Amino acid sequence: MKFIIQLSLLSVCLFSCEKGLDDTLILKTSGEVAKPEELSAGISTTFMSSSKAYDQPASWVEDELLTRFTTGDALYDDARTGDDDPYTGGMGPVYAGYSCGACHKNAGRTEPTLHTVGGSGKYNFSSMLVYISRKNGAFFRDYGRVLHDQSIYGVEPEGKLSVTYTEETKSFPDGETYSLLTPHYKITEWYADSIRPEDLNITVRIPLRHVGMGQMMALDHDELKKLAEQSNYPQYGISGRLNYITERGVYQIGVSGNKAQHADLTIELGFSSDMGVTNDRYPFEVCFGQVQMMGMAMNGIQITTRDMEDVDLYLHSLGVPYRRNVNDETVKKGEELFYQAKCHLCHTPTLHTRPRGAVLLNGTKLPWLGSQTIHPYSDYLLHDMGIGLDDQYVSGLAQGCEWRTTPLWGIGLQEKVNGHTYFLHDGRARNLTEAIMWHDGEGQVSRELFARMSKEERAAVLKFLNSL
Ligand code: HEC
Ligand code: HEC
């Protein structure tokens, strides 16, 4: 009760501050007034650029919200175990990661083992999700959707991923060279029947950065619909569209995931499918029905709804790092070139959140996320990115070649936060240049405009990206 009163008082305050938000002075940690172009997410902008930059609460997270944020943060990071401890247990019997934070280290993108150990590795924890399906899109009865390459003691992992790359070296018109890696996947050590490679489709995803999760959940869907209608630039071959999916029995717009295949922050799915922790939305173990589980006791619900709501609150309330070096001449030049190369037609610099903000699973309202001007550098729409990136995997309306424009906010801090510069849905790009040079299909014009720039101009674009 106390909590609700507190919230409504705050929203009154917010309403009055909101009207004059543009004149509201937001102070940086240093005490200086923030410049408008530094504010990535309005009042949720945080002013840190260290390895913890993605993992800070927004400034409005106080009192009881802060307590729940801290609880959610711990539930997100603490390694789960296979025992039946109600707080930390319930993992497995098979799983892909032992905590959310194992794959999303510091609320970021844990370095995948693809390039270092060539796939899952024997003992390594890989941090990626491997989706397997028949060529016709159906799932394998004994395996389900995700290949769980880890397991608790006494149980076999479902299989291991191995990857090899073919490398092709190319050159820009000005002679500078770059090279692109095409991945080839194989599953080894199937726990049960081997699946014929002719009938197997494998698609690999590295984790996404958790920058702007609350803002993504508070997006103004009318604005997105308008963008989908208008984001049609035949002269550049660009036309984005929204993904629609059925979740919790409702046909709705998808925003999260690499194919915008989810409508929420996938808390229950993450616990169930990625970690093997059952919950009220997914009460069955992911390996339920597998031959090796016959006769094994199933433990019922392994994480409470209350705990998952705290994780949801934690993700919604993370601040978005401010833009850095906004006055640097090269960064400014790079920003201009970003527009000239038409990157902004998909990586939309500015969007707005709906007035009421976000509402959590249990009804907790987060009005601070409402009516904000935000700079995600994404339209959250699907685009055909060409055959090179086609994974033959359909998610809702998204076809194999279609991907959600990855939001670029925070991208410049990925190396500091996670210690690597692997990009794209499957981490095949080893740096920003390779990520851009993989753009094809609707991204072809942009790629060519970028390729035709001088070396200095390309470097300026990268410097601009690194200021996000
Ligand atoms: C095994 C590693 C792994 C674990 C464990 C994991 N994730 Fe993820 N997460 C991923 C990958 C990979 C993706 C990208 C999936 C895709 O697009 O298909 C992702 C995507 C997401 C997204 C979408 C972000 C966006 O920008 O749209 C959210 C939210 C998320 N995870 C939350 C969680 C939460 C909460 C947990 C814990 C309950 C969790 N994840 C556990 C690997 C993991
Ligand atoms: C047609 C829409 C479109 C255009 C135009 C476009 N992009 Fe993208 N961009 C995407 C999509 C979709 C992805 C995700 C592809 C994937 O993961 O396979 C992406 C991914 C990226 C990534 C990797 C992000 C990450 O964290 O993995 C970078 C960097 C990037 N784009 C930069 C640019 C730049 C710079 C330009 C202009 C030269 C540009 N893009 C033009 C749609 C576009």
Side-chain angles (χ1 to χ4, degrees), residues 56-191:
Q56 301 301 314
S59 64
W60 44 265
V61 182
E62 292 175 317
D63 307 326
E64 185 165 351
L65 281 186
L66 187 56
T67 311
R68 288 182 57 194
F69 178 95
T70 311
T71 309
D73 190 0
L75 283 160
Y76 176 95
D77 274 330
D78 291 347
R80 293 241 151 206
T81 57
D83 64 28
D84 49 16
D85 183 297
Y87 186 73
T88 56
M91 185 178 68
V94 292
Y95 61 96
Y98 53 85
S99 69
C100 312
C103 295
H104 300 280
K105 185 168 177 243
N106 295 335
R109 197 176 217 183
T110 307
E111 177 169 0
T113 53
L114 291 161
H115 299 268
T116 45
V117 304
S120 298
K122 199 162 169 58
Y123 305 108
N124 302 70
F125 155 70
S126 71
S127 94
M128 61 218 171
L129 286 174
V130 179
Y131 301 149
I132 50 173
S133 61
R134 289 189 186 279
K135 290 280 191 212
N136 68 8
F139 298 133
F140 299 104
R141 199 178 61 94
D142 269 350
Y143 293 95
R145 185 180 60 100
V146 171
L147 179 85
H148 298 97
D149 59 1
Q150 311 282 316
S151 60
I152 61 170
Y153 186 73
V155 175
E156 296 280 314
E158 290 173 353
K160 297 280 185 181
L161 179 85
S162 92
V163 60
T164 52
Y165 290 98
T166 25
E167 181 159 12
E168 198 185 341
T169 301
K170 305 181 175 205
S171 33
F172 290 110
D174 69 1
E176 201 198 348
T177 59
Y178 63 95
S179 64
L180 299 183
L181 297 180
T182 304
H184 309 283
Y185 303 119
K186 213 168 69 191
I187 309 274
T188 58
E189 303 173 49
W190 290 108
Y191 99 90

Side-chain angles (χ1 to χ4, degrees), residues 76 95-104 125-129 131 145 204-211 213 216 255-262 264-272 274-275 311 315 380 403-404 407 425:
Y76 176 95
Y95 61 96
Y98 53 85
S99 69
C100 312
C103 295
H104 300 280
F125 155 70
S126 71
S127 94
M128 61 218 171
L129 286 174
Y131 301 149
R145 185 180 60 100
V204 169
R205 308 287 166 85
I206 67 164
L208 283 159
R209 297 176 290 271
H210 282 334
V211 176
M213 294 293 97
M216 177 170 77
V255 285
S256 68
N258 278 291
K259 293 200 187 225
Q261 72 273 32
H262 296 293
D264 61 18
L265 295 182
T266 64
I267 314 294
E268 301 112 320
L269 185 68
F271 277 109
S272 158
D274 302 356
M275 291 186 260
V311 177
L315 280 187
Y380 296 88
W403 299 95
R404 176 195 69 172
H425 66 272

Side-chain angles (χ1 to χ4, degrees), residues 280-329:
D280 63 358
R281 188 164 169 197
Y282 299 101
F284 294 107
E285 291 288 5
V286 276
C287 52
F288 188 75
Q290 281 186 4
V291 183
Q292 65 172 345
M293 303 302 157
M294 295 296 172
M296 198 180 262
M298 292 287 166
N299 291 333
I301 303 301
Q302 293 163 330
I303 183 167
T304 64
T305 301
R306 169 86 205 183
D307 280 351
M308 290 190 296
E309 278 160 356
D310 286 345
V311 177
D312 201 27
L313 175 95
Y314 159 72
L315 280 187
H316 271 84
S317 316
L318 286 168
V320 177
Y322 73 122
R323 256 198 75 203
R324 301 150 317 282
N325 303 324
V326 292
N327 285 336
D328 183 288
E329 285 309 317

